[in-house]
Amino acid sequence: MARHGGRGWYGRMVAAALGVTVVAAATSVWTAQAGQTGGGSAGRGAPARPAAPTAAPVSAVIAHASDRGEHAVNITIDDGPDPVWTPRVLQVLRDNGVKATFCMVGTQAEAHPDLVRQVVAAGHRLCDHTVSHDTTMDTKSTAYQSQQIVDAERQITKASGGVHPMYYRAPGGAFTPYSRKLAASHGMRPLGWNVDSKDFERPGTDAVVATVKGELANGPTILFHDAGGDRSQTVAALGTLLPWLKQQGYAFGFPVR
């Protein structure tokens, strides 16, 4: 869920992104979703044994760009999975041949592993959105931040059947240098957004559509929600926006890794 008000979210994200540019070597085991495995050789004289797959190093800088280039968008879906709305979001994405990134809350993933597996099976990517979606995480201790991020990673990975989240999105954009470095060390690229559809506020489908169209010049990563209440306006807005984006010549990609 986006955090609204006077916190200057985008400017704060950019400033934070400039603060730490550490490229962390990932320590978590990666899966086919990342499409990469690491290798290694046994020490001299030691018996050969298979090397454990590892995540490719990712940057701790907050990602906003698309892997499909400048004339592309990234659809990101937050706060689920939800047993009512996630299947409907999946259907509209399927109808339009679009892949998205689902930023999942750990407790929701744990409660609905069947939906996490559906998301993965459909070719979408997973993102760690913490255990409990605490938008004040940036004011809490590093121990608390670690628990929220690492436990959610574990919950999502288990629910998915072994697919690790590829990104980390702080609730409400409450990133810290520590949380970004920690996520990157687990192979998860910190993920921001450029366009807040405001769908969480349920302003009406037309308003959601108008907001996205009006803010699209800000950048490619668009924020929607599939949980947190009635998301019928989100489903309807996606049904309008996805064909419109195609008509404007936009490609659909994933956030850069």
Side-chain angles (χ1 to χ4, degrees):
M1 157 181 177
R3 178 166 53 191
H4 304 286
R7 297 201 59 163
W9 148 241
Y10 184 76
R12 184 164 64 85
M13 284 181 65
V14 173
L18 294 174
V20 178
T21 56
V22 176
V23 177
T27 57
S28 58
V29 175
W30 206 243
T31 66
Q33 188 188 43
Q36 299 177 355
T37 57
S41 57
R44 181 174 296 176
R49 58 186 179 184
T54 57
V58 299
S59 173
V61 174
I62 297 169
H64 293 94
S66 175
D67 63 5
R68 293 292 300 277
E70 292 186 3
H71 203 62
V73 293
N74 306 319
I75 303 299
T76 65
I77 314 289
D78 280 22
D79 297 355
D82 179 273
V84 174
W85 300 108
T86 301
R88 299 186 190 186
V89 169
L90 285 171
Q91 184 61 55
V92 73
L93 292 169
R94 185 180 307 116
D95 290 345
N96 288 276
V98 171
K99 306 302 181 187
T101 300
F102 283 77
C103 301
M104 295 186 174
V105 174
T107 51
Q108 290 292 107
E110 196 168 58
H112 307 289
D114 55 324
L115 293 177
V116 183
R117 289 179 170 88
Q118 286 180 40
V119 167
V120 170
H124 306 292
R125 289 185 179 179
L126 301 177
C127 171
D128 179 333
H129 205 32
T130 74
V131 172
S132 60
H133 199 279
D134 181 354
T135 59
T136 66
M137 271 186 62
D138 54 345
T139 68
K140 304 294 179 61
S141 69
T142 56
Y144 177 82
Q145 294 176 55
S146 177
Q147 176 266 323
Q148 285 284 308
I149 295 167
V150 175
D151 283 4
E153 179 194 15
R154 174 186 54 77
Q155 290 169 316
I156 294 166
T157 301
K158 181 178 179 181
S160 71
V163 178
H164 287 245
M166 297 181 72
Y167 307 92
Y168 164 66
R169 173 173 278 169
F175 287 100
T176 66
Y178 172 80
S179 69
R180 292 189 287 111
K181 287 177 63 178
L182 177 66
S185 77
H186 283 249
M188 298 183 292
R189 180 75 186 263
L191 175 59
W193 65 84
N194 308 102
V195 179
D196 181 354
S197 70
K198 302 294 195 298
D199 66 330
F200 195 83
E201 301 171 9
R202 296 195 288 274
T205 299
D206 290 346
V208 173
V209 170
T211 295
V212 172
K213 290 182 177 181
E215 295 188 6
L216 199 55
N218 293 342
T221 303
I222 310 174
L223 172 64
F224 297 98
H225 296 83
D226 63 344
D230 185 337
R231 300 272 72 94
S232 57
Q233 294 178 14
T234 302
V235 175
L238 284 167
T240 297
L241 284 166
L242 298 181
W244 178 82
L245 286 163
K246 288 182 179 180
Q247 290 168 4
Q248 307 308 305
Y250 283 94
F252 293 88
F254 291 113
V256 294
R257 286 273 298 158

